[in-house]
Amino acid sequence: MVTGSEKSELNSELICKQRGDLARIGAPYDIYSLNDIDRVDPNEYKLFVFLDAFYLTDSQRDYINHTLKGGGRSLLLIGACDYISNGYVSTEQLSAMAEMEIGILETEETTVKAADTTYGYAAPKAPTLYVRDADAEILGTYEVEWMGEKIDL
């Protein structure tokens, strides 16, 4: 069952900081609630950004899969889009939405090492998701300690 913590700063990371970054993107954009997604004209946009849409209803999922995907449009899924279903978490729907296999790192993680930078969170977060796709181009890796040994994933 999904539970929360009063000490969690996740809402600040997911809502406030991302919207601030989005405002500095340098391109015009519109913000819609997921509750209004079926009112969006898909031909008006080339890119749809989903900021941490952890839970999708069946109708939202169907609209995204059958109307927004394809047609020269791109979807950018930030966070774990469609990760929560009926109060439980699962990577099955998340993997289906992302159209790639998503795995869960079995340790807390704070940073990602990319070619020329390191970024992440001020405190460890879990779960940490990663892509399991042999054909994916690796742009960064997790540097974690697991069972007393430092490893890159």
Side-chain angles (χ1 to χ4, degrees):
M1 184 62 84
V2 177
T3 60
S5 167
E6 292 178 14
K7 296 179 183 178
S8 174
E9 295 182 14
L10 196 55
N11 283 339
S12 175
E13 294 282 347
L14 298 180
I15 298 169
C16 300
K17 291 183 180 178
Q18 286 185 354
R19 285 198 174 175
D21 291 342
L22 187 59
R24 291 185 291 280
I25 199 168
Y29 65 92
D30 294 318
I31 296 177
Y32 291 93
S33 167
L34 273 175
N35 293 328
D36 296 327
I37 196 164
D38 59 345
R39 297 178 184 173
V40 175
D41 178 0
N43 299 314
E44 196 173 323
Y45 302 96
K46 293 180 182 179
L47 173 66
F48 291 88
V49 179
F50 290 88
L51 295 177
D52 307 303
F54 295 106
Y55 172 81
L56 298 175
T57 65
D58 290 340
S59 63
Q60 290 167 340
R61 186 179 308 106
D62 289 343
Y63 187 79
I64 292 168
N65 284 324
H66 299 111
T67 306
L68 299 184
K69 285 184 177 179
R73 292 178 291 274
S74 297
L75 275 61
L76 175 57
L77 310 174
I78 298 176
C81 188
D82 207 14
Y83 181 54
I84 300 173
S85 179
N86 299 319
Y88 294 90
V89 296
S90 170
T91 57
E92 288 178 34
Q93 286 183 178
L94 170 62
S95 294
M97 181 59 63
E99 298 180 357
M100 60 184 72
E101 188 179 354
I102 306 292
I104 297 177
L105 188 62
E106 298 296 331
T107 183
E108 291 183 342
E109 168 274 329
T110 58
T111 60
V112 174
K113 288 174 45 178
D116 59 352
T117 188
T118 299
Y119 62 93
Y121 295 90
K125 69 172 191 67
T128 298
L129 305 170
Y130 65 94
V131 175
R132 284 191 270 190
D133 184 343
D135 297 327
E137 178 185 352
I138 297 173
L139 300 177
T141 60
Y142 292 118
E143 183 180 65
V144 298
E145 188 170 316
W146 191 44
M147 299 179 77
E149 183 179 333
K150 282 196 170 197
I151 55 173
D152 286 332
L153 295 175

